Amino acid sequence: MTEPTAGSPAGLDLDRLGGYLAAHRPDLAAGPLRAELIAGGRSNLTYLVHAGDREMVLRRPPLGHVLATAHDMTREFRVISALAPTDVPVPGALLLCPEPEVLGAPFYLMERVPGEVFRSRSRTDQLTGEQRHGLAMTMMDTLAALHTVEPAAVGLADFGRPEGFLARQVRRWSGQLDRSRSRPLPGIDELRDRLAATAPEGANAGRIVHGDFRLDNLLATVDPVTVTAVLDWEMATLGDPLADLGLLLTYWDVLGGSAASDGNPVADGLGPRAGFPSGAELIARYAGRSDVDVGPLHWHIALGCFKLAVICEGIHYRHTLGQTLGEGFDTIGGLVAPLVAHGLTAVRET
């Protein structure tokens, strides 16, 4: 790949993008292209693209060190296309480019959706208590709506392999860990081994799971309180919806409920310490709007801790290689140890 055109943000060559649009979707390139990186993403890169008066959003994998299947643009594009006619709010899918030759990696374009990402404490501190409660409850209603969608009804019957999903999650994230190791990580191998030895069958398997569902992966408004779009579908598949709940509680209660959340770039602004309802209230809301048997969640929280620890370690590794864009990556490595410690505590309670 040649060097990006002057004025192009890193990872997005506007001349190459313009040429591809002219050949495949000229209606999307009705004017000069401009783009800027949307700050806040810790994995895939997201850009706001201006084509004349039109605004679109482009998603592509991170620069360098891309782990197999972890940044699959085709899966993201397929799932948001499939969910468009459902009650799950998603951006409109515009164009998929599966070939890496254009930008150095596959990418896709989607409509820009109105709304705000509530990611930082500086933003959530401005919300009223009623707005915080409304956002949290609407978030859980949205997750329940996703888990209610029948995969076959939206063309996603073959989107994953529900059988053995939880055990396969442990193996998958173990593989990701091995590819991201760059320093000693005390306790993480014990957590992996305990998860592998105690993986449940997953009585709820076969639902569409998001894979990284949390407040700051949503676009929302607060007047009125509405979720306008669910974002970041890179890890979506068919599996056990309790995995979504376990990871959400990892963000909400494990990071967002302790001093570890203060100022960190992953859970700052989330959870009880930021004035939101407790994780128990979230689960109660979800259970009242879903037919999923919630049951004990200790093992799934432990899996969430392991998965998030691996993700943070991968981001830390890319940061040490100079392959991250934006701010806040220098502290992510510090989240791994508390996540491992809490995961060990949770898995011992199963």
Side-chain angles (χ1 to χ4, degrees), residues 252-308:
W252 202 261
D253 283 343
V254 178
L255 291 181
S258 72
S261 70
D262 293 343
N264 81 59
V266 176
D268 183 34
L270 303 180
R273 285 173 65 88
F276 287 93
S278 67
E281 292 175 84
L282 301 190
I283 298 304
R285 176 76 171 211
Y286 173 90
R289 285 158 174 75
S290 169
D291 63 347
V292 172
D293 179 9
V294 175
L297 289 170
H298 299 302
W299 189 93
H300 299 88
I301 292 170
L303 175 63
C305 289
F306 179 61
K307 177 177 173 178
L308 188 52

Side-chain angles (χ1 to χ4, degrees), residues 20-145:
Y20 188 82
L21 293 180
H24 297 274
R25 284 291 302 271
D27 58 305
L28 298 181
L33 295 183
R34 296 181 293 110
E36 61 261 15
L37 180 71
I38 298 176
R42 306 298 168 194
S43 184
N44 286 335
L45 301 176
T46 307
Y47 304 85
L48 179 61
V49 178
H50 308 266
D53 294 332
R54 181 165 194 163
E55 292 182 334
M56 304 170 287
V57 174
L58 185 146
R59 291 266 289 170
R60 60 148 292 164
L63 307 180
H65 194 61
V66 179
L67 304 178
T69 76
H71 308 278
D72 194 332
M73 298 295 96
T74 301
R75 291 185 70 81
E76 282 203 42
F77 188 83
R78 181 182 176 190
V79 72
I80 66 171
S81 299
L83 291 173
T86 73
D87 291 335
V88 182
V90 290
L94 295 174
L95 173 72
L96 171 69
C97 176
E99 299 85 15
E101 290 78 16
V102 181
L103 298 182
F107 68 90
Y108 72 91
L109 283 164
M110 57 186 171
E111 296 280 6
R112 187 184 189 190
V113 177
E116 183 175 350
V117 175
F118 291 90
R119 174 171 289 118
S120 67
R121 188 70 178 262
S122 63
R123 181 62 187 93
T124 58
D125 278 350
Q126 300 176 34
L127 301 175
T128 66
E130 184 178 357
Q131 289 170 334
R132 288 187 182 95
H133 183 271
L135 274 175
M137 297 302 108
T138 305
M139 173 180 70
M140 300 315 294
D141 294 347
T142 303
L143 185 59

